[in-house]
Each structure stands twice: as C-alpha cells, then as structure tokens.
Amino acid sequence: MKIYLNGKMVEKEEARVSVFDHGFLYGDGAFEGIRAYSGVVFRLKEHIDRLYETCHTMMINTGLTKKQMIEAVVKTLKANGLTDGYIRLVVTRGDGDLGLDPRKCKGNPNIIIIADKITLYPEEFYKNGLAIVTVPTVRNHIEAINPQLKSLNYLNNIMAKIEANNAGVPEAIMLDGNGYVAECTGDNIFMVKGGVLKTPQQGRLRGITRDTVMELAATKCKIKVEETFITRHEFFNADECFLTGTAAELIPVIKIDGRIIGTGKPGPVTAKLLKLFHDVTRKDGVKYSL
Ligand code: PXG
C-alpha cells in the first residue's frame, strides 16, 4: 500500500509523522472520508470544499490549492490501483512542542492521504433495517466545536459510539444541547412523514451524502424536503427513517429507543432514494482511469 505523505508516495511502513504533531497531541487537524466508485471519486470537489472550510475556520493553511489537493487524491488512488475504495484525507496542524498553542507549529501541516478498500455494513442491515438508540452524550454545542468542522477531534462522537456499543446497536442518535435530534456518530439522519422528507437543520455535519439525497428527493422524486428542528417524538412517529453517510450510503432504521418506525420494515421512499443514490455515485464526481 502506498500512502501520500506531504507530496511523496511512500510505502505504508514508511508513512510516519512525528509524535510532536499536534494532530496526534491535540486532535488539531481536519479530515475527510471520501469514496471512489468505478473510477469516479464521488463529489470530490465538494469534499475538498468542506475540508478547506474546516481548515479556514481552524486557521490551517494546507499550502496546496484545491486543484492540487484533488490531484493528490487521484494520484493516491492510481498508485494503489484502486477504482473503488475509501479515501481518508488528513491535514494536521503539523509539528509543534508540548504546548497547545498552534503558533508553536512553525513548520507545514502534515498532509496524509490513505486509499484502501472499504468495509461496509453487513447486507442484512440494508434488508432489515437498523434498531438504534439515543445516547446520553450530547452533540457538541455549535459554539464549542461546531459539528460542521470535520476536525480530528472526534471524541464527542467516540463517546457516543461507546454508548452505542454498550447498548449493542450499530449507530446512535445524538441530540443537540436543546434536546433536538442532531445526527448520529458518523451518519446524518432523515425521516419521512406524509410524503415529506425531513432532516435536522442545526447541530450536525453537513454531510455530502445528505446534500445529495436532499437534491435527489427534490429533483427526481419531487418530494418536499425540509431542514428543520426535529424531536425524538417526531422520529418515533415517522413513516420511515434512514441514515446517510459516505460509508453507509443510505441505511434504513426500523426501531428507535424501542419504538417501531412505520411498518417496522424499510420503506419505499428510502428504497427509491438508495437506488437513485447508487446511480449518481458512478457519475457525479472526478473521473480517472488507472
Ligand atoms: N455526521 C458525522 C458526524 C460524520 O462523521 C457524516 C455525518 C456523514 O457525512 P458524509 O459527508 O460522509 O455524507 C459523517 C461522516 C468513518 C467514517 O471512518 C465516518 C464518516 C465518513 C466516512 C467514514 O467512521 N463520517
């Protein structure tokens, strides 16, 4: 396996960064999780835009133009002979000293791109749907660490994931500080009620899959899409519920906190959107060949 490390392609064993890297010491950095389908890096431009927005807010200068970053992703996929796969793009603050002040990181950020095969959720989850729970860990306050930032500091989500693991479920709902549903630990959440598609407007990451699904619903299914504040009560009484994310794509949810959602089986709107999503992943993005 070849890893992109600061402009060079190096073997996995040689891809090393310093223990003084502030990404390691403080989670001070940004990342993206991206997918390639049949030689198309799905919505790569949108992923890079989101990465650069995170870096801008965090005041990290990658030193690369967006175009150069896109080329680096494609180069990594090609170097690994992958037409389908998962890309983890990491930008750290770089090497500093044992103090959290980012001004101590005088060098360049470390830029790392890993391209690998993707591990997917088991097929039965898509067929039968997930049972999930709400966990006690609240999603970060928007003025603490804004959930829009895809930073290396994922402890908020990891704490929620531990609670999901303890409850024996594969994903968990996190509420925002006001008690509204925000998102899951690594997925956005949607509900369908009376033919309207709804998803939380605040306190969540603006997922690339989420954006795509909202567009498909509005343009191809001609259904009304609302970004709004949604309570657990509304989710319990939804006709359908599903999660979206780069890894999961669209995955149906059939039970939340012991309450059956709709018929208790994956619903028709979810199935239709999943099919439309599959079609678009092979078309919408940066094309390349090996
Ligand atoms: N919310 C959170 C908190 C996420 O981390 C999403 C929503 C979905 O966003 P996208 O842009 O993927 O539709 C994410 C994405 C992993 C992994 O390795 C996590 C994500 C994506 C890919 C891989 O756990 N999270």
Side-chain angles (χ1 to χ4, degrees), residues 17-30 58 60 90-97 105 109-110 112 151-154:
V17 293
S18 164
V19 292
F20 287 93
D21 183 301
H22 276 210
F24 172 69
L25 287 176
Y26 296 107
D28 186 359
M58 294 180 72
I60 293 176
V90 179
V91 177
T92 75
R93 180 80 62 188
D95 299 358
D97 67 8
C105 303
N110 281 310
I112 299 144
S151 87
L152 292 181
N153 194 316
Y154 248 51

Side-chain angles (χ1 to χ4, degrees), residues 125 130-133 135 160-172:
F125 286 6
L130 306 179
I132 62 173
V133 297
V135 290
K161 188 76 183 176
I162 289 169
E163 287 159 352
N165 292 345
N166 289 345
V169 294
E171 242 311 1

Side-chain angles (χ1 to χ4, degrees), residues 43-58:
R43 294 210 164 182
L44 178 55
K45 190 179 164 298
E46 289 80 354
H47 278 283
I48 300 300
D49 285 344
R50 185 170 69 181
L51 177 75
Y52 276 64
E53 286 192 0
T54 298
C55 288
H56 179 69
T57 296
M58 294 180 72

Side-chain angles (χ1 to χ4, degrees), residues 28-278:
D28 186 359
F31 80 102
E32 280 295 321
I34 310 166
R35 252 174 105 164
Y37 294 88
S38 309
V40 177
V41 193
F42 179 61
R43 294 210 164 182
L44 178 55
K45 190 179 164 298
E46 289 80 354
H47 278 283
I48 300 300
D49 285 344
R50 185 170 69 181
L51 177 75
Y52 276 64
E53 286 192 0
T54 298
C55 288
H56 179 69
T57 296
M58 294 180 72
M59 301 182 87
I60 293 176
N61 181 355
T62 66
L64 297 181
T65 63
K66 287 184 184 178
K67 188 166 171 279
Q68 286 171 327
M69 194 63 94
I70 286 172
E71 284 164 4
V73 169
V74 171
K75 187 174 161 181
T76 311
L77 282 159
K78 284 187 176 183
N80 287 285
L82 292 168
T83 53
D84 291 83
Y86 176 65
I87 302 115
R88 170 62 57 91
L89 169 43
V90 179
V91 177
T92 75
R93 180 80 62 188
D95 299 358
D97 67 8
L98 295 179
L100 63 81
D101 189 343
R103 290 176 300 187
K104 300 288 169 54
C105 303
K106 297 213 185 295
N108 293 321
N110 281 310
I111 300 175
I112 299 144
I113 308 174
I114 307 167
D116 202 354
K117 296 220 158 48
I118 184 144
T119 15
L120 297 170
Y121 277 126
E123 191 49 41
E124 75 234 38
F125 286 6
Y126 292 89
K127 215 169 89 214
N128 304 328
L130 306 179
I132 62 173
V133 297
T134 309
V135 290
T137 297
V138 167
R139 191 75 177 97
N140 282 330
H141 187 283
I142 50 168
E143 288 305 339
I145 297 171
N146 194 312
Q148 297 283 75
L149 300 177
K150 210 157 160 60
S151 87
L152 292 181
N153 194 316
Y154 248 51
L155 190 58
N156 183 222
N157 313 59
I158 291 165
M159 295 307 285
K161 188 76 183 176
I162 289 169
E163 287 159 352
N165 292 345
N166 289 345
V169 294
E171 242 311 1
I173 292 177
M174 301 178 79
L175 305 179
D176 70 15
N178 293 316
Y180 291 103
V181 170
E183 61 178 336
C184 294
T185 69
D187 297 293
N188 289 114
I189 188 162
F190 283 84
M191 59 170 274
V192 180
K193 178 82 170 177
V196 179
L197 185 68
K198 293 187 185 188
T199 192
Q201 91 171 47
Q202 275 263 351
R204 50 31 186 186
L205 179 74
R206 188 171 155 199
I208 307 285
T209 319
R210 175 185 182 276
D211 275 359
T212 310
V213 165
M214 286 166 66
E215 282 167 36
L216 290 171
T219 59
K220 305 267 184 203
C221 305
K222 308 271 187 247
I223 58 180
K224 197 169 162 217
V225 182
E226 280 180 10
E227 285 184 89
T228 179
F229 293 92
I230 316 176
T231 58
R232 281 197 312 144
H233 170 73
E234 288 169 87
F235 270 97
F236 294 157
N237 292 287
D239 300 329
E240 295 180 40
C241 175
F242 62 88
L243 312 181
T244 65
T246 294
E249 301 183 321
L250 273 79
I251 197 157
V253 172
I254 47 90
K255 199 189 258 187
I256 301 173
D257 299 328
R259 279 77 159 188
I260 300 282
I261 309 304
T263 61
K265 298 224 160 53
V269 177
T270 309
K272 185 160 184 204
L273 286 169
L274 179 58
K275 180 165 184 315
L276 288 168
F277 183 77
H278 276 160

